[in-house]
Amino acid sequence: MATGITEPDVKLAKKGLPAGKAAYDLNDGKTGLVLRVGRRGAKWAWRTEVAGRTIRLTLGDIDLLTLTQARALAGEAMHQVRDVRSKVDDDWVRAELVRMRVVPAPPPPEPRKETLKELLDKLDRDKHWTFAQARERYLDEVRRTKREDTWNDYRAILHAPELARFDDTKVFLITIERLAEVIAETHRSGRERRAEKLADCIRPMWTWMASSAQKLSSGVTPGVMKELKAPERSRKEAGQEDVDEDGEPGSYVPPVAEFGRILAICRAGVMHPVVAAAIELAILTVQRRRTIVNARRRGFVVEGDMLVWKIPPAHRKTALKRGDVRTHDLPLNGAARAVVERMLMRNDNSKWLFPGLRPQKAGDIVTHINVSVLNHNTRIMPGVEASPHDFRRGYATHTQEFLDFTLFETKYVLYHNEGIDTQDVTESAYSRARRLQKKAAFLDPWIELVEQAAVAAAPLLPPPGALRAAMTEARKPKLSKPKATPGSVEGDEHAA
């Protein structure tokens, strides 16, 4: 009697089960190999008992393994099952078939792709700064190292609505392409100077974040924003006006009569006295807007019969760049002195000559009025086309035309280096001359000129109620400033 499965058994099983014949199993003896023949074909199996428990495995189709291969695989399974440390299951069978080169090795499993939620949760757990976090830390650094006005400018730009989309984004994920797109959108909207300011503030912020001390927190790569810049400015046709940094005409020279009208409106009692006084001093001393709003009470000193304004180098661009620690001293006489003394007599517990009316943002300390206050309040004056940027241009022009000053002489008042070449060794190393008398000679006649214009303009103004109503109307959004000649009373029409 034959024992075990034979080759003829295998050949018969491959032919299939004859009609009417029942399915059957052929056992191969001690190896546990079983040839199972049924209606759906024949296959190799393995069966044994361990500690009263039956273990069954399918080894493969009859065409997959020869009898010799099936017997060897069953024998290996019987050997493995005796080792309590081994596990004989379907995974073991697949591994053995690969080892025997009966089937190819399966491809390595594809790495599992994280879901969007998992990625967002991972980023949320990431300790690198978001744009909002990085912005506040960078602004702290700007406030520590730069002057307050620079900090205010950077804060306004970096909190711009255009950048709000990045607030919750990790800064190391923000690409130059995404920021360039924002800047280009701003430029296309016609705000070309604002687009330049965005680029000019973002570049140094990224440079700071890529520094050794910040890189671990930011994850920013050095130089990634080096090429970030706004598109080129639009070409201007002949006759188009230049535009200054606040969008005001950059070539307008206000007539002397217009200077007089501005002074007269400031003194008409229709404006906040602090704002009115700041605009007056800007006209009378023709200093820059930032110099005006940054004026400190302690900077005004009486020397003999003269009031001297000691302007620190922190508010003078050229002096700051060349490391000059000397003050730019201006002698104030007449109406200019009166404005300053009026402000000094106010019972303000502030170090600023022109203290702010309210904090710029909730929680901020009230400092001085913002430079934009000068622009906005001049803009709403009826019959006035000038902006504070034009005051210095008016001085340089009219003092040469009407007072016979030379261009060099205007520099004693206008220029931060007082007309002296910054490379002049004698000036920088030896001279400490303040030139107060010379400056007075080139400032006092200007004050007298615009004061005469203010006296002439005052009777031509609308009544205070109508003037206030016209300025209130001009302050409303999307309404243009009332147009009028210096002598008109168009404010009455707006009041109506």
Side-chain angles (χ1 to χ4, degrees), residues 85-257:
R85 296 170 298 180
S86 299
K87 185 178 182 180
V88 180
D89 55 13
D90 291 338
D91 290 339
W92 178 86
V93 171
R94 283 192 292 269
E96 283 296 304
L97 291 175
V98 171
R99 183 184 65 79
M100 295 168 64
R101 298 184 180 180
V102 174
V103 297
E110 292 185 6
R112 178 179 170 273
K113 295 182 179 180
E114 294 178 298
T115 65
L116 177 61
K117 183 179 183 305
E118 289 172 333
L119 285 172
L120 293 176
D121 290 343
K122 184 177 179 180
L123 284 174
D124 190 55
R125 292 191 301 271
D126 187 282
K127 299 304 180 184
H128 287 104
W129 292 334
T130 63
F131 179 77
Q133 293 169 331
R135 175 180 59 209
E136 298 313 308
R137 286 164 175 78
Y138 176 62
L139 288 175
D140 288 343
E141 179 70 5
V142 173
R143 192 170 199 176
R144 183 183 71 83
T145 58
K146 308 292 185 183
R147 56 192 177 97
E148 187 170 2
D149 287 325
T150 301
W151 170 72
N152 280 325
D153 283 349
Y154 272 61
R155 182 174 65 162
I157 291 297
L158 294 175
H159 278 92
E162 297 93 328
L163 298 177
R165 70 189 75 177
F166 300 115
D167 278 358
D168 297 326
T169 305
K170 301 292 182 179
V171 286
F172 70 86
L173 294 177
I174 301 175
T175 63
I176 187 173
E177 290 81 9
R178 295 179 67 189
L179 287 172
E181 183 180 11
V182 171
I183 293 171
E185 289 174 0
T186 304
H187 188 275
R188 285 194 297 270
S189 71
R191 297 170 296 161
E192 297 187 2
R193 176 56 182 154
R194 184 172 183 84
E196 292 171 350
K197 283 188 172 183
L198 283 169
D200 291 345
C201 288
I202 290 171
R203 279 197 310 274
M205 176 180 173
W206 249 256
T207 299
W208 175 79
M209 288 194 296
S211 64
S212 300
Q214 319 304 329
K215 192 174 180 181
L216 286 178
S217 297
S218 69
V220 167
T221 303
V224 69
M225 294 295 168
K226 183 179 179 181
E227 300 301 322
L228 182 68
K229 60 182 180 180
E232 289 188 16
R233 290 212 178 181
S234 301
R235 182 174 61 86
K236 295 182 177 67
E237 299 294 343
Q240 282 187 298
E241 292 178 312
D242 294 331
V243 175
D244 67 23
E245 64 184 71
D246 289 319
E248 299 288 347
S251 58
Y252 180 62
V253 179
V256 174

Side-chain angles (χ1 to χ4, degrees), residues 399 403 405 439-450:
T399 53
L403 301 176
F405 291 0
K439 294 172 187 174
F442 303 124
L443 187 57
D444 291 353
W446 164 255
I447 294 174
E448 184 178 353
L449 180 67
V450 294

Side-chain angles (χ1 to χ4, degrees), residues 147-412:
R147 56 192 177 97
E148 187 170 2
D149 287 325
T150 301
W151 170 72
N152 280 325
D153 283 349
Y154 272 61
R155 182 174 65 162
I157 291 297
L158 294 175
H159 278 92
E162 297 93 328
L163 298 177
R165 70 189 75 177
F166 300 115
D167 278 358
D168 297 326
T169 305
K170 301 292 182 179
V171 286
F172 70 86
L173 294 177
I174 301 175
T175 63
I176 187 173
E177 290 81 9
R178 295 179 67 189
L179 287 172
E181 183 180 11
V182 171
I183 293 171
E185 289 174 0
T186 304
H187 188 275
R188 285 194 297 270
S189 71
R191 297 170 296 161
E192 297 187 2
R193 176 56 182 154
R194 184 172 183 84
E196 292 171 350
K197 283 188 172 183
L198 283 169
D200 291 345
C201 288
I202 290 171
R203 279 197 310 274
M205 176 180 173
W206 249 256
T207 299
W208 175 79
M209 288 194 296
S211 64
S212 300
Q214 319 304 329
K215 192 174 180 181
L216 286 178
S217 297
S218 69
V220 167
T221 303
V224 69
M225 294 295 168
K226 183 179 179 181
E227 300 301 322
L228 182 68
K229 60 182 180 180
E232 289 188 16
R233 290 212 178 181
S234 301
R235 182 174 61 86
K236 295 182 177 67
E237 299 294 343
Q240 282 187 298
E241 292 178 312
D242 294 331
V243 175
D244 67 23
E245 64 184 71
D246 289 319
E248 299 288 347
S251 58
Y252 180 62
V253 179
V256 174
E258 188 171 344
F259 280 109
R261 185 177 179 85
I262 297 172
L263 289 174
I265 292 174
C266 289
R267 296 165 184 172
V270 297
M271 300 172 61
H272 192 286
V274 173
V275 177
I279 295 175
E280 281 189 75
L281 193 63
I283 289 178
L284 297 170
T285 64
V286 289
Q287 296 304 298
R288 297 181 185 275
R289 296 175 310 153
R290 293 190 185 282
T291 303
I292 296 295
V293 301
N294 276 286
R296 298 175 184 244
R297 299 168 73 93
R298 71 184 183 192
F300 298 89
V301 180
V302 176
E303 299 182 6
D305 60 351
M306 183 181 295
L307 179 65
V308 178
W309 182 9
K310 295 178 175 290
I311 302 173
H315 306 306
R316 291 161 45 213
K317 295 179 182 177
T318 307
L320 185 62
K321 289 179 180 178
R322 69 172 185 258
D324 189 349
V325 298
R326 292 178 295 178
T327 58
H328 174 50
D329 298 346
L330 277 184
L332 303 183
N333 297 309
R337 178 169 183 164
V339 170
V340 172
E341 289 179 338
R342 186 167 74 245
M343 295 306 300
L344 291 174
M345 290 177 64
R346 287 174 59 91
N347 294 322
D348 289 317
N349 295 321
S350 173
K351 63 183 179 181
W352 309 101
L353 187 67
F354 303 112
L357 311 183
R358 62 186 66 85
Q360 294 184 31
K361 291 177 61 178
D364 281 0
I365 298 173
V366 178
T367 56
H368 52 71
I369 60 174
N370 193 278
V371 291
S372 63
V373 171
L374 305 187
N375 284 62
H376 296 163
N377 281 272
T378 305
R379 177 183 61 82
I380 63 174
M381 292 180 178
V384 172
E385 296 299 322
S387 78
H389 292 284
D390 303 321
F391 296 170
R392 292 163 62 82
R393 190 179 302 108
Y395 169 84
T397 301
H398 297 317
T399 53
Q400 291 183 77
E401 290 187 350
F402 301 129
L403 301 176
D404 293 327
F405 291 0
T406 65
L407 179 62
F408 179 82
E409 288 169 338
T410 66
K411 297 178 181 180
Y412 281 107

Side-chain angles (χ1 to χ4, degrees), residues 454-469:
V455 171
L460 303 178
L461 293 180
L467 181 59
R468 183 182 291 107

